[in-house]
Amino acid sequence: MSIAVKGNVDTFFKNKYSNAWQPISQLSKSDHGSFFIDSSTCGWNFDAITKSLFKTNAPTSVDGTFIVGNRIYFVEIKSGYKNHVSEKNIDMEKLRCSYKGNQPCEDCAQLLIDKNKWLYKLLKTNIQLKAAESYRTFEKKIVPSINEDEGERRYCTSFIAVIDQEDPSKDSVNDEFEVIQRDLAHSTLSEENYVADMYNALRRYAKPELWYDESTAMSASVFKEFADDGFKRPILR
């Protein structure tokens, strides 16, 4: 279900939050100062906009919003997946223990795997929370503030989670193709396809009567291609 707005959201942001207009390179900047996605395509820094709306106890928020025609993309860019340790990729050679005759320590390996499972679950929950609270901030705080003379406009909303899973051995678009295969054929995916797993975790928010009109997950390279092409490709719901 589209959201009715008494005016133009893009114009409202330009008039009120002009300093929040930033390239994706800046929006994807990590806490350590590195740039996750190298792109000059610009969007609105929704973190900054949200913080300006709440003096204290600001809700969580996505990194950026991109307004294309009558559609608003809420985008959260999250790193931390490419270094995820699992049973399949753990390097036992790095876990040799002097107390066990310099042999690989299975106990240490299990502790590391369990820790990373918890961190992965935390990352996923964090993205889900940002999806929910960003939508409510827009719906309850921003939309009521827009009251222009341009007449009512209706906007569809999309949520995209962008994660740093890249596989140099294949085109990252295959991640999306594998998601489609599972959705249609209920096939079993590779255990470490985090893009597909995040897509499934976000499907609950693709409910127009409650949340977004559509939601999906993309790898960084796929999102860069999608954004730099003007958000013209259809996205998975």
Side-chain angles (χ1 to χ4, degrees):
M1 183 181 298
S2 57
I3 297 178
V5 182
K6 294 181 179 179
N8 187 304
V9 177
D10 200 38
T11 300
F12 176 78
F13 281 176
K14 288 176 182 176
N15 293 336
K16 196 169 180 64
Y17 305 109
S18 58
N19 292 334
W21 181 248
Q22 297 176 353
I24 290 175
S25 294
Q26 186 66 29
L27 295 175
S28 68
K29 189 176 181 180
S30 71
D31 295 335
H32 304 292
S34 59
F35 296 99
F36 182 15
I37 301 173
D38 183 15
S39 172
S40 59
T41 300
C42 290
W44 297 102
N45 186 328
F46 202 71
D47 277 328
I49 292 174
T50 299
K51 289 177 182 177
S52 71
L53 293 171
F54 298 87
K55 293 183 179 180
T56 59
N57 298 321
T60 60
S61 52
V62 297
D63 293 304
T65 55
F66 301 82
I67 304 170
V68 183
N70 69 334
R71 182 170 295 279
I72 303 176
Y73 294 94
F74 293 76
V75 179
E76 173 62 15
I77 303 169
K78 184 70 69 177
S79 60
Y81 289 83
K82 66 181 179 181
N83 297 321
H84 182 71
V85 178
S86 69
E87 291 90 342
K88 293 186 66 175
N89 65 12
I90 191 168
D91 187 354
M92 295 298 293
E93 289 298 313
K94 294 181 179 179
L95 296 174
R96 292 185 176 276
C97 179
S98 59
Y99 294 102
K100 294 191 174 184
N102 202 35
Q103 295 299 309
C105 180
E106 294 183 1
D107 292 335
C108 292
Q110 191 59 54
L111 284 172
L112 185 59
I113 290 169
D114 290 344
K115 175 186 175 182
N116 274 266
K117 284 181 178 179
W118 178 82
L119 289 173
Y120 173 59
K121 184 177 180 179
L122 188 64
L123 281 171
K124 189 160 58 173
T125 301
N126 179 263
I127 291 176
Q128 291 174 318
L129 182 62
K130 289 189 175 188
E133 294 195 345
S134 295
Y135 186 90
R136 291 303 181 215
T137 295
F138 179 74
E139 179 189 40
K140 301 297 185 182
K141 292 287 288 186
I142 295 176
V143 170
S145 300
I146 304 175
N147 192 4
E148 301 175 353
D149 296 328
E150 298 184 19
E152 183 179 279
R153 299 184 61 165
R154 302 195 72 88
Y155 289 88
C156 294
T157 56
S158 303
F159 181 82
I160 304 175
V162 181
I163 63 178
D164 61 344
Q165 182 194 41
E166 301 291 346
D167 186 344
S169 68
K170 64 179 183 180
D171 185 346
S172 57
V173 174
N174 286 348
D175 284 331
E176 294 179 337
F177 177 70
E178 200 170 8
V179 169
I180 295 173
Q181 283 187 316
R182 175 166 67 175
D183 196 29
L184 296 180
H186 303 289
S187 60
T188 301
L189 291 177
S190 57
E191 294 179 5
E192 296 177 5
N193 190 329
Y194 301 122
V195 174
D197 187 58
M198 180 55 62
Y199 165 74
N200 258 6
L202 293 172
R203 293 181 70 180
R204 69 178 68 179
Y205 297 106
K207 294 182 179 180
E209 66 274 18
L210 292 175
W211 302 102
Y212 300 89
D213 294 281
E214 57 186 6
S215 65
T216 195
M218 298 180 181
S219 65
S221 60
V222 170
F223 176 71
K224 173 178 167 56
E225 178 186 347
F226 179 58
D228 289 349
D229 193 39
F231 296 86
K232 294 178 182 178
R233 291 174 50 197
I235 74 171
L236 298 171
R237 178 175 175 186

